Each structure stands twice: as C-alpha cells, then as structure tokens.
Amino acid sequence: MTPRTETTRSLLAVLGRIPGLRAATPATTHIGSHVPWNLDTLAVGIDNQVIEIRVVALALPLPPILREAEAALHAALKDTRWKHAGLRLVVTDIDAAALTPLHHASGAGA
C-alpha cells in the first residue's frame, strides 16, 4: 500500500467519525457494487500542496461541523508527508434530511 493510499484511508476513517458529514461519492448503481475498490476514495484528492475532500452535509449548521472536521483531519495528517499541505473541504451537496428541521421550523407546509 502506498503512503497516498494509506493517507486516503486514514482521512476517510476520520471523516466517518464526524457527525453531519459523509464523503461525496458518485451515485451508485448495480455497477458500483462490482467496483473492486472503495468508492469513497474518489472523494479525496491528494497532491503535494493541497488535500481536497469532497463531502455531503448531513446536518446543519455547517460552520461548526466543518471546523470539527478540519481539526480532526489536520490531526490525522500531522505524521504524514502532507502535514504542511493545505486542506480544502468542499461541500458538494446538502442531504435533504439536513433541511427537514429548517422546513418544519419555518412553518412551511403547515
């Protein structure tokens, strides 16, 4: 396993422990079940200067969730060759369930 692969797996494991976020992966179909690798790895891009992780928000408000994720992900990078790389979290989508409390709080649909 390469250092990049190990780091990707480590970052995904950390992300999996952050409530309110998940890795942004392509829509899966029956073809996705036949892919011989973890599709979540497609959400992580690593180069020498920047690590980009694409995520879907499962809860709101986003700023505290993203701050928690950023701190945890930086900690996971501290003993890697990417410890000085920039970290970019890109929210690609917001799950409809995250908006449900807002919908009910506004009185919409009542």
Side-chain angles (χ1 to χ4, degrees):
M1 185 178 320
T2 68
R4 189 177 309 262
T5 301
E6 288 177 21
T7 299
T8 297
R9 286 183 178 180
S10 173
L11 293 172
L12 287 170
V14 168
L15 184 64
R17 293 189 296 270
I18 305 295
L21 295 177
R22 71 167 173 79
T25 56
T28 57
T29 63
H30 68 283
I31 295 171
S33 64
H34 300 293
V35 176
W37 66 85
N38 181 350
L39 285 175
D40 286 353
T41 61
L42 296 174
V44 180
I46 298 178
D47 70 27
N48 292 331
Q49 287 78 37
V50 177
I51 295 176
E52 181 176 286
I53 304 174
R54 291 163 296 284
V55 298
V56 173
L58 305 174
L60 296 173
L62 273 173
I65 297 169
L66 293 173
R67 282 191 296 272
E68 178 184 353
E70 183 179 24
L73 292 163
H74 272 298
L77 291 169
K78 77 175 189 165
D79 292 327
T80 72
R81 64 185 259 196
W82 294 280
K83 63 184 169 191
H84 297 297
L87 177 62
R88 182 182 307 138
L89 295 175
V90 179
V91 179
T92 63
D93 200 3
I94 299 176
D95 189 280
L99 301 173
T100 301
L102 296 177
H103 179 73
H104 290 298
S106 71

XYZ file of all heavy atoms in Angstrom:
817
model
N 0.842 -1.162 0.000
C 0.000 0.000 0.000
C 0.903 1.246 0.000
O 1.872 1.314 0.732
C -0.903 -0.034 1.236
C -1.901 1.063 1.260
S -3.055 1.061 2.667
C -3.469 -0.631 2.898
N 0.540 2.227 -0.801
C 1.341 3.443 -0.902
C 0.985 4.418 0.218
O -0.108 4.340 0.795
C 1.101 4.145 -2.260
O -0.239 4.655 -2.277
C 1.326 3.207 -3.423
N 1.895 5.361 0.516
C 1.569 6.371 1.537
C 0.306 7.163 1.184
O -0.492 7.490 2.061
C 2.802 7.273 1.553
C 3.914 6.401 1.074
C 3.283 5.472 0.067
N 0.099 7.440 -0.088
C -1.092 8.185 -0.520
C -2.361 7.376 -0.229
O -3.357 7.906 0.255
C -0.985 8.525 -2.006
C -2.043 9.474 -2.497
C -1.811 9.820 -3.965
N -0.461 10.258 -4.227
C -0.068 11.530 -4.329
N -0.952 12.487 -4.238
N 1.184 11.835 -4.556
N -2.324 6.084 -0.503
C -3.472 5.210 -0.248
C -3.740 5.106 1.249
O -4.892 5.183 1.693
C -3.230 3.811 -0.848
O -3.023 3.946 -2.244
C -4.406 2.887 -0.593
N -2.685 4.940 2.034
C -2.837 4.870 3.487
C -3.428 6.160 4.040
O -4.308 6.130 4.898
C -1.489 4.592 4.150
C -0.991 3.184 3.946
C 0.388 2.973 4.562
O 0.784 3.750 5.458
O 1.062 2.030 4.136
N -2.938 7.284 3.537
C -3.443 8.582 4.000
C -4.900 8.764 3.604
O -5.713 9.237 4.405
C -2.566 9.718 3.448
O -1.226 9.541 3.924
C -3.084 11.085 3.876
N -5.257 8.368 2.390
C -6.647 8.463 1.951
C -7.549 7.647 2.869
O -8.585 8.129 3.324
C -6.795 7.983 0.490
O -6.032 8.850 -0.353
C -8.237 7.978 0.039
N -7.150 6.426 3.158
C -7.944 5.571 4.049
C -8.066 6.184 5.440
O -9.129 6.152 6.061
C -7.337 4.181 4.135
C -7.560 3.374 2.893
C -7.008 1.990 3.043
N -7.270 1.213 1.840
C -6.908 -0.028 1.679
N -6.259 -0.669 2.643
N -7.182 -0.663 0.558
N -6.973 6.728 5.936
C -6.979 7.346 7.252
C -7.925 8.554 7.282
O -8.708 8.720 8.228
C -5.559 7.779 7.622
O -5.549 8.511 8.818
N -7.854 9.386 6.263
C -8.723 10.563 6.200
C -10.195 10.166 6.111
O -11.053 10.777 6.757
C -8.335 11.455 5.022
C -6.964 12.123 5.130
C -6.606 12.816 3.822
C -6.926 13.100 6.304
N -10.491 9.143 5.336
C -11.876 8.674 5.231
C -12.366 8.100 6.559
O -13.531 8.280 6.922
C -12.014 7.654 4.110
C -11.935 8.226 2.696
C -11.836 7.106 1.660
C -13.114 9.141 2.409
N -11.489 7.431 7.289
C -11.867 6.900 8.600
C -12.189 8.044 9.559
O -13.178 7.989 10.297
C -10.755 6.020 9.166
N -11.375 9.086 9.528
C -11.625 10.255 10.376
C -12.941 10.908 9.969
O -13.782 11.224 10.816
C -10.454 11.261 10.290
C -10.818 12.589 10.921
C -9.208 10.673 10.934
N -13.127 11.106 8.689
C -14.357 11.726 8.190
C -15.585 10.911 8.607
O -16.624 11.477 8.966
C -14.301 11.865 6.673
C -15.483 12.576 6.026
C -15.567 14.026 6.487
C -15.363 12.512 4.508
N -15.458 9.607 8.614
C -16.561 8.738 9.003
C -16.976 8.893 10.455
O -18.074 8.501 10.836
N -16.108 9.482 11.277
C -16.427 9.706 12.689
C -16.971 11.112 12.953
O -17.273 11.455 14.091
C -15.190 9.457 13.553
C -14.754 7.998 13.561
C -13.668 7.715 14.578
N -12.412 8.406 14.320
C -11.409 7.923 13.582
N -11.529 6.740 13.001
N -10.301 8.604 13.414
N -17.093 11.924 11.908
C -17.606 13.281 12.067
C -19.112 13.267 11.810
O -19.547 13.041 10.683
C -16.924 14.263 11.075
C -15.399 14.234 11.210
C -17.490 15.676 11.247
C -14.874 14.723 12.523
N -19.919 13.491 12.847
C -21.359 13.508 12.610
C -21.726 14.717 11.742
O -21.240 15.814 11.959
C -21.969 13.651 14.009
C -20.851 13.753 14.971
C -19.562 13.726 14.226
N -22.551 14.468 10.758
C -23.014 15.561 9.914
C -22.355 15.652 8.568
O -22.730 16.491 7.749
N -21.363 14.807 8.310
C -20.696 14.802 7.007
C -20.491 13.369 6.537
O -20.369 12.456 7.342
C -19.311 15.473 7.078
C -19.240 16.949 7.394
C -17.779 17.383 7.493
C -19.975 17.780 6.367
N -20.442 13.215 5.224
C -20.012 11.945 4.637
C -19.245 12.263 3.362
O -19.378 13.355 2.791
C -21.187 11.018 4.358
C -22.076 11.435 3.216
C -23.026 10.292 2.809
N -23.981 10.718 1.835
C -23.746 10.855 0.521
N -22.554 10.594 0.025
N -24.700 11.248 -0.298
N -18.464 11.332 2.923
C -17.715 11.510 1.679
C -18.691 11.641 0.513
O -19.698 10.944 0.459
C -16.779 10.323 1.447
N -18.394 12.551 -0.385
C -19.221 12.732 -1.584
C -18.725 11.768 -2.644
O -17.595 11.861 -3.107
C -19.120 14.167 -2.090
N -19.563 10.830 -2.974
C -19.201 9.827 -3.966
C -20.228 9.836 -5.082
O -21.335 10.334 -4.909
C -19.149 8.429 -3.331
O -20.395 8.159 -2.710
C -18.042 8.329 -2.312
N -19.860 9.287 -6.226
C -20.822 9.235 -7.330
C -22.043 8.406 -6.949
O -21.967 7.536 -6.088
C -20.047 8.541 -8.455
C -18.643 8.474 -8.019
C -18.599 8.673 -6.545
N -23.155 8.718 -7.575
C -24.357 7.918 -7.363
C -24.032 6.475 -7.710
O -23.389 6.202 -8.723
C -25.493 8.435 -8.233
N -24.461 5.586 -6.852
C -24.143 4.182 -7.096
C -25.315 3.486 -7.786
O -26.465 3.835 -7.597
C -23.814 3.440 -5.792
O -24.909 3.578 -4.905
C -22.559 3.990 -5.159
N -24.947 2.539 -8.566
C -25.923 1.685 -9.231
C -25.454 0.260 -8.997
O -24.495 0.023 -8.267
C -25.966 1.971 -10.751
O -24.688 1.648 -11.305
C -26.302 3.423 -11.026
N -26.073 -0.664 -9.656
C -25.618 -2.052 -9.510
C -24.178 -2.203 -9.988
O -23.458 -3.057 -9.527
C -26.549 -2.998 -10.264
C -26.487 -2.848 -11.754
N -27.093 -1.813 -12.429
C -25.860 -3.594 -12.689
C -26.847 -1.934 -13.729
N -26.114 -3.007 -13.909
N -23.722 -1.321 -10.857
C -22.333 -1.369 -11.332
C -21.386 -1.031 -10.182
O -20.324 -1.629 -10.039
C -22.117 -0.414 -12.515
C -22.943 -0.888 -13.710
C -20.647 -0.305 -12.882
C -22.983 0.083 -14.864
N -21.790 -0.079 -9.330
C -20.951 0.321 -8.207
C -20.626 -0.823 -7.278
O -19.564 -0.857 -6.669
N -21.525 -1.777 -7.155
C -21.268 -2.901 -6.265
C -20.214 -3.849 -6.828
O -19.704 -4.696 -6.109
C -22.559 -3.664 -5.981
O -23.057 -4.249 -7.166
N -19.884 -3.700 -8.097
C -18.885 -4.567 -8.723
C -17.503 -3.922 -8.813
O -16.569 -4.551 -9.280
C -19.346 -4.979 -10.127
C -20.642 -5.736 -10.114
N -20.773 -6.990 -9.562
C -21.869 -5.395 -10.561
C -22.020 -7.401 -9.687
N -22.718 -6.446 -10.281
N -17.400 -2.664 -8.375
C -16.110 -1.971 -8.414
C -15.234 -2.556 -7.315
O -15.673 -2.653 -6.161
C -16.311 -0.457 -8.216
C -14.976 0.261 -8.156
C -17.163 0.112 -9.345
N -13.996 -2.929 -7.638
C -13.153 -3.616 -6.662
C -12.440 -2.694 -5.659
O -11.482 -3.100 -5.038
C -12.139 -4.345 -7.546
C -12.008 -3.474 -8.740
C -13.384 -2.895 -8.965
N -12.890 -1.461 -5.503
C -12.270 -0.568 -4.531
C -13.366 0.238 -3.845
O -14.508 0.261 -4.267
C -11.221 0.338 -5.178
C -11.793 1.330 -6.151
C -12.312 2.561 -5.865
C -11.921 1.183 -7.565
N -12.758 3.167 -7.002
C -12.524 2.348 -8.071
C -11.577 0.172 -8.458
C -12.791 2.535 -9.409
C -11.847 0.363 -9.804
C -12.432 1.532 -10.268
N -12.984 0.920 -2.783
C -13.902 1.736 -2.014
C -14.206 3.012 -2.798
O -13.324 3.834 -3.017
C -13.264 2.071 -0.660
C -14.149 2.903 0.218
O -15.191 3.412 -0.195
N -13.724 3.067 1.457
N -15.454 3.199 -3.206
C -15.828 4.381 -3.986
C -15.601 5.678 -3.222
O -15.427 6.730 -3.833
C -17.289 4.289 -4.432
C -17.577 3.322 -5.567
C -19.077 3.241 -5.824
C -16.847 3.722 -6.837
N -15.580 5.634 -1.893
C -15.338 6.842 -1.111
C -13.977 7.459 -1.420
O -13.793 8.666 -1.253
C -15.439 6.561 0.386
C -16.870 6.359 0.848
O -17.805 6.567 0.039
O -17.058 5.994 2.025
N -13.034 6.649 -1.877
C -11.710 7.202 -2.183
C -11.778 8.230 -3.311
O -10.888 9.073 -3.422
C -10.693 6.102 -2.547
O -11.148 5.401 -3.709
C -10.499 5.134 -1.394
N -12.834 8.192 -4.107
C -12.986 9.179 -5.180
C -13.259 10.572 -4.627
O -13.124 11.563 -5.346
C -14.112 8.769 -6.134
C -13.884 7.466 -6.901
C -15.132 7.103 -7.701
C -12.681 7.583 -7.817
N -13.633 10.674 -3.361
C -13.915 11.968 -2.740
C -12.652 12.665 -2.244
O -12.711 13.823 -1.835
C -14.886 11.788 -1.576
N -11.522 11.986 -2.292
C -10.277 12.539 -1.751
C -9.271 12.743 -2.870
O -8.973 11.825 -3.633
C -9.674 11.592 -0.679
C -8.376 12.161 -0.124
C -10.673 11.334 0.432
N -8.776 13.958 -2.962
C -7.711 14.272 -3.913
C -6.488 14.728 -3.140
O -6.579 15.651 -2.314
N -5.367 14.086 -3.371
C -4.139 14.431 -2.645
C -3.054 14.780 -3.651
O -2.741 13.994 -4.543
C -3.651 13.254 -1.771
C -4.694 12.900 -0.708
C -2.309 13.595 -1.118
C -4.319 11.709 0.161
N -2.496 15.989 -3.509
C -1.265 16.303 -4.223
C -0.299 16.901 -3.197
O -0.596 16.928 -2.008
C -1.492 17.189 -5.458
C -1.900 18.619 -5.150
O -1.562 19.136 -4.067
O -2.560 19.230 -6.003
N 0.841 17.363 -3.635
C 1.859 17.802 -2.677
C 1.485 19.061 -1.906
O 1.928 19.247 -0.781
C 3.194 17.999 -3.382
C 3.771 16.677 -3.847
O 3.513 15.645 -3.245
N 4.528 16.705 -4.919
N 0.661 19.932 -2.503
C 0.335 21.198 -1.850
C -1.049 21.221 -1.189
O -1.257 21.950 -0.229
C 0.384 22.359 -2.856
C 1.788 22.765 -3.274
C 2.375 21.818 -4.301
O 1.664 21.336 -5.175
N 3.652 21.537 -4.184
N -2.001 20.473 -1.722
C -3.387 20.563 -1.246
C -4.026 19.180 -1.163
O -3.860 18.361 -2.059
C -4.239 21.444 -2.187
C -5.694 21.486 -1.735
C -3.683 22.857 -2.282
N -4.764 18.992 -0.101
C -5.626 17.810 0.024
C -7.051 18.333 -0.043
O -7.437 19.205 0.733
C -5.381 17.071 1.345
C -3.955 16.517 1.344
C -6.416 15.968 1.547
C -3.550 15.862 2.624
N -7.795 17.810 -1.007
C -9.186 18.220 -1.165
C -10.081 17.030 -0.852
O -9.880 15.945 -1.386
C -9.450 18.709 -2.589
C -10.888 19.161 -2.791
C -11.130 19.731 -4.162
O -10.681 20.860 -4.426
O -11.749 19.014 -4.976
N -11.056 17.280 0.008
C -12.014 16.231 0.358
C -13.410 16.775 0.074
O -13.807 17.808 0.614
C -11.887 15.813 1.832
C -10.449 15.363 2.127
C -12.890 14.701 2.151
C -10.175 15.072 3.580
N -14.102 16.083 -0.802
C -15.449 16.478 -1.167
C -16.429 15.752 -0.245
O -16.320 14.541 -0.054
C -15.707 16.163 -2.642
C -14.855 17.093 -3.541
C -14.707 16.618 -4.969
N -14.005 15.360 -5.152
C -12.673 15.204 -5.059
N -11.898 16.215 -4.751
N -12.123 14.033 -5.272
N -17.349 16.529 0.343
C -18.264 15.981 1.338
C -19.705 16.370 1.036
O -19.972 17.338 0.322
C -17.899 16.462 2.768
C -16.510 15.984 3.171
C -18.003 17.967 2.901
N -20.605 15.598 1.614
C -22.036 15.903 1.605
C -22.410 16.239 3.036
O -22.060 15.505 3.968
C -22.863 14.700 1.097
C -24.358 14.953 1.257
C -22.518 14.382 -0.346
N -23.112 17.357 3.214
C -23.573 17.754 4.541
C -24.830 16.968 4.886
O -25.779 16.930 4.106
C -23.859 19.249 4.575
N -24.824 16.344 6.044
C -25.968 15.577 6.533
C -26.716 16.326 7.620
O -27.783 15.890 8.061
C -25.502 14.223 7.074
C -24.693 13.361 6.101
C -24.168 12.123 6.806
C -25.522 12.997 4.890
N -26.131 17.430 8.092
C -26.720 18.215 9.170
C -26.300 19.673 9.002
O -25.338 19.977 8.291
C -26.261 17.684 10.522
N -27.022 20.523 9.674
C -26.725 21.954 9.683
C -26.729 22.410 11.140
O -27.329 21.752 11.983
C -27.790 22.710 8.879
C -27.843 22.374 7.388
C -29.048 23.056 6.752
C -26.569 22.776 6.682
N -26.085 23.483 11.478
C -25.349 24.422 10.649
C -23.965 23.883 10.283
O -23.348 23.151 11.057
C -25.249 25.675 11.520
C -25.286 25.143 12.929
C -26.164 23.912 12.883
N -23.515 24.271 9.117
C -22.253 23.750 8.589
C -20.986 24.273 9.277
O -20.056 23.489 9.482
C -22.160 24.045 7.092
C -22.805 23.006 6.205
C -22.815 23.466 4.764
C -22.122 21.683 6.337
N -20.863 25.555 9.601
C -19.570 26.030 10.132
C -19.008 25.219 11.291
O -17.835 24.818 11.239
C -19.853 27.495 10.496
C -20.908 27.898 9.503
C -21.798 26.676 9.390
N -19.774 24.883 12.347
C -19.151 24.107 13.427
C -18.794 22.684 13.007
O -17.790 22.132 13.472
C -20.203 24.109 14.544
C -21.488 24.518 13.906
C -21.138 25.308 12.686
N -19.575 22.104 12.117
C -19.268 20.753 11.641
C -17.984 20.770 10.828
O -17.110 19.911 10.998
C -20.443 20.195 10.808
C -21.697 20.050 11.667
C -20.067 18.853 10.172
C -22.963 19.765 10.881
N -17.843 21.759 9.972
C -16.634 21.855 9.144
C -15.405 22.166 9.993
O -14.321 21.648 9.719
C -16.822 22.901 8.049
C -17.865 22.538 6.982
C -18.093 23.716 6.042
C -17.445 21.298 6.215
N -15.557 22.982 11.039
C -14.419 23.258 11.938
C -13.973 21.981 12.641
O -12.772 21.707 12.762
C -14.778 24.339 12.954
C -14.745 25.740 12.383
C -14.831 26.801 13.478
N -16.095 26.772 14.210
C -17.192 27.440 13.842
N -17.180 28.194 12.760
N -18.286 27.369 14.580
N -14.939 21.190 13.110
C -14.604 19.918 13.768
C -13.892 18.983 12.798
O -12.879 18.363 13.138
C -15.874 19.245 14.292
C -15.624 17.906 14.943
C -16.890 17.186 15.379
O -17.983 17.771 15.311
O -16.768 16.018 15.788
N -14.409 18.894 11.578
C -13.799 18.033 10.565
C -12.381 18.497 10.239
O -11.455 17.686 10.161
C -14.653 18.007 9.300
N -12.213 19.793 10.063
C -10.895 20.327 9.722
C -9.872 20.011 10.813
O -8.759 19.564 10.521
C -10.985 21.840 9.499
C -9.672 22.454 9.076
C -9.779 23.941 8.829
O -10.689 24.591 9.400
O -8.949 24.456 8.078
N -10.240 20.213 12.066
C -9.322 19.919 13.175
C -8.957 18.442 13.212
O -7.777 18.083 13.361
C -9.946 20.355 14.500
N -9.940 17.577 13.063
C -9.686 16.139 13.113
C -8.840 15.676 11.928
O -7.931 14.851 12.079
C -11.012 15.379 13.148
N -9.116 16.216 10.753
C -8.356 15.821 9.559
C -6.920 16.340 9.619
O -5.988 15.617 9.252
C -9.071 16.314 8.299
C -10.414 15.618 8.032
C -11.246 16.416 7.031
C -10.203 14.189 7.550
N -6.729 17.561 10.113
C -5.362 18.078 10.287
C -4.582 17.193 11.258
O -3.406 16.897 11.033
C -5.377 19.522 10.784
C -5.426 20.536 9.708
N -4.436 20.695 8.757
C -6.360 21.466 9.409
C -4.751 21.663 7.934
N -5.932 22.148 8.290
N -5.229 16.762 12.330
C -4.561 15.891 13.301
C -4.146 14.573 12.652
O -3.070 14.035 12.939
C -5.484 15.635 14.499
N -4.975 14.056 11.754
C -4.658 12.797 11.067
C -3.489 12.958 10.108
O -2.821 11.976 9.770
C -5.884 12.290 10.311
N -3.231 14.173 9.674
C -2.139 14.419 8.726
C -0.810 14.745 9.400
O 0.220 14.766 8.729
C -2.518 15.589 7.802
C -3.643 15.327 6.820
C -4.099 16.634 6.172
C -3.198 14.328 5.770
N -0.806 14.969 10.707
C 0.391 15.516 11.357
C 1.632 14.644 11.239
O 2.733 15.163 11.248
C 0.111 15.882 12.804
C 0.050 14.732 13.747
C -0.104 15.211 15.165
C 0.065 14.005 16.057
N 0.276 14.296 17.413
N 1.471 13.341 11.098
C 2.636 12.465 10.982
C 2.820 11.925 9.568
O 3.423 10.864 9.372
C 2.522 11.291 11.965
C 2.627 11.746 13.411
O 3.355 12.723 13.679
O 1.954 11.145 14.277
N 2.304 12.656 8.591
C 2.428 12.237 7.197
C 3.264 13.252 6.425
O 3.547 14.347 6.924
C 1.050 12.123 6.509
O 0.525 13.435 6.282
C 0.076 11.296 7.339
N 3.616 12.898 5.227
C 4.382 13.843 4.387
C 3.533 15.021 3.947
O 4.042 16.001 3.408
C 4.986 13.117 3.193
C 3.959 12.558 2.240
C 4.589 11.767 1.149
N 4.648 12.557 -0.061
C 4.864 12.063 -1.254
N 5.097 10.774 -1.397
N 4.886 12.826 -2.297
N 2.215 14.962 4.195
C 1.301 16.047 3.809
C 0.927 16.939 4.990
O -0.031 17.699 4.921
C 0.042 15.458 3.165
C 0.348 14.788 1.877
C 0.538 15.395 0.665
C 0.540 13.400 1.654
N 0.841 14.447 -0.286
C 0.845 13.211 0.286
C 0.485 12.271 2.473
C 1.089 11.964 -0.272
C 0.738 11.034 1.924
C 1.032 10.894 0.569
N 1.712 16.889 6.064
C 1.369 17.664 7.267
C 1.335 19.168 7.013
O 0.643 19.895 7.720
C 2.314 17.335 8.412
C 3.756 17.688 8.169
C 4.614 17.225 9.319
C 6.075 17.343 8.937
N 6.914 16.662 9.914
N 2.046 19.649 5.993
C 2.051 21.082 5.690
C 1.176 21.424 4.486
O 1.098 22.584 4.084
C 3.476 21.573 5.447
C 4.355 21.420 6.658
N 4.119 22.086 7.833
C 5.449 20.650 6.877
C 5.033 21.745 8.726
N 5.848 20.870 8.174
N 0.530 20.433 3.912
C -0.344 20.687 2.763
C -1.599 21.423 3.221
O -2.048 21.271 4.360
C -0.738 19.364 2.101
N -2.153 22.220 2.327
C -3.423 22.865 2.619
C -4.531 21.826 2.624
O -4.430 20.792 1.962
N -5.570 22.101 3.376
C -6.712 21.201 3.441
C -7.933 21.962 2.961
O -8.227 23.044 3.473
C -6.924 20.707 4.869
C -8.119 19.800 5.118
C -8.002 18.501 4.323
C -8.258 19.508 6.603
N -8.604 21.414 1.975
C -9.797 22.051 1.422
C -10.965 21.082 1.535
O -10.932 19.997 0.961
C -9.563 22.411 -0.044
C -10.723 23.129 -0.685
C -10.466 23.423 -2.163
N -9.214 24.124 -2.353
C -8.342 23.860 -3.340
N -8.598 22.928 -4.232
N -7.227 24.541 -3.449
N -11.990 21.493 2.282
C -13.221 20.717 2.362
C -14.234 21.374 1.432
O -14.517 22.556 1.565
C -13.757 20.703 3.797
C -12.877 20.004 4.824
C -13.452 20.170 6.221
C -12.729 18.541 4.490
N -14.748 20.603 0.505
C -15.694 21.117 -0.482
C -17.035 20.438 -0.246
O -17.153 19.225 -0.388
C -15.201 20.835 -1.920
C -16.196 21.350 -2.944
C -13.825 21.440 -2.148
N -18.032 21.225 0.120
C -19.379 20.689 0.324
C -20.049 20.653 -1.048
O -20.350 21.684 -1.629
C -20.189 21.543 1.314
C -21.599 20.977 1.484
C -19.474 21.626 2.654
N -20.251 19.452 -1.544
C -20.811 19.292 -2.888
C -22.326 19.195 -2.885
O -22.956 19.391 -3.922
C -20.241 18.038 -3.578
O -20.632 16.885 -2.826
C -18.728 18.118 -3.695
N -22.910 18.878 -1.719
C -24.355 18.702 -1.656
C -24.788 18.782 -0.200
O -23.983 18.591 0.719
C -24.745 17.347 -2.240
C -26.206 17.251 -2.663
O -26.934 18.261 -2.558
O -26.609 16.167 -3.105
N -26.065 19.072 -0.005
C -26.671 19.018 1.321
C -27.794 18.000 1.252
O -28.701 18.116 0.425
C -27.209 20.394 1.748
C -26.066 21.401 1.815
C -27.927 20.292 3.091
C -26.505 22.816 2.127
N -27.703 16.994 2.079
C -28.726 15.953 2.122
C -30.065 16.579 2.523
O -30.119 17.441 3.401
C -28.304 14.882 3.134
C -29.184 13.663 3.077
O -30.285 13.716 3.658
O -28.771 12.675 2.451
N -31.132 16.160 1.885
C -32.461 16.711 2.163
C -32.838 16.573 3.637
O -33.527 17.432 4.190
C -33.501 16.038 1.279
N -32.383 15.530 4.286
C -32.700 15.325 5.705
C -32.129 16.451 6.566
O -32.694 16.774 7.615
C -32.181 13.976 6.173
N -31.036 17.058 6.139
C -30.445 18.166 6.895
C -31.352 19.389 6.862
O -31.316 20.215 7.773
C -29.074 18.516 6.329
N -32.154 19.501 5.835
C -33.030 20.658 5.676
C -34.384 20.464 6.342
O -35.123 21.429 6.532
C -33.227 20.960 4.194
C -31.940 21.259 3.422
C -32.239 21.381 1.943
C -31.268 22.500 3.954
N -34.722 19.261 6.712
C -36.036 18.974 7.298
C -36.321 19.807 8.546
O -37.389 20.405 8.643
C -36.181 17.467 7.586
O -36.020 16.771 6.351
C -37.530 17.147 8.186
N -35.393 19.911 9.515
C -35.689 20.746 10.685
C -35.945 22.204 10.295
O -36.786 22.857 10.877
C -34.445 20.616 11.558
C -33.810 19.341 11.128
C -34.143 19.205 9.664
N -35.235 22.708 9.304
C -35.443 24.079 8.853
C -36.826 24.233 8.233
O -37.506 25.232 8.426
C -34.368 24.481 7.839
C -32.938 24.533 8.355
C -31.982 24.875 7.219
C -32.808 25.545 9.468
N -37.232 23.243 7.485
C -38.521 23.270 6.821
C -39.642 23.316 7.865
O -40.571 24.106 7.765
C -38.669 22.037 5.920
C -39.960 21.945 5.204
N -40.278 22.752 4.138
C -41.042 21.155 5.409
C -41.489 22.461 3.708
N -41.982 21.488 4.460
N -39.522 22.506 8.900
C -40.547 22.469 9.943
C -40.509 23.726 10.809
O -41.547 24.229 11.208
C -40.373 21.233 10.822
C -40.705 19.956 10.108
N -41.944 19.687 9.615
C -39.927 18.883 9.799
C -41.938 18.490 9.019
N -40.726 17.988 9.106
N -39.318 24.241 11.086
C -39.182 25.425 11.946
C -39.767 26.673 11.286
O -40.265 27.562 11.956
C -37.714 25.650 12.304
N -39.714 26.734 9.970
C -40.219 27.916 9.263
C -41.723 27.922 9.157
O -42.315 28.903 8.719
C -39.583 28.011 7.875
O -40.115 26.972 7.047
N -42.338 26.816 9.513
C -43.786 26.728 9.398
C -44.245 26.363 8.003
O -45.431 26.319 7.718
N -43.297 26.094 7.109
C -43.656 25.721 5.745
C -44.384 24.391 5.773
O -44.066 23.501 6.553
C -42.412 25.630 4.876
N -45.336 24.271 4.957
C -46.075 23.035 4.857
C -47.151 22.894 5.922
O -47.838 21.909 6.006
N -47.278 23.902 6.772
C -48.298 23.830 7.824
C -49.589 24.486 7.378
O -49.632 25.286 6.551
C -47.783 24.500 9.084
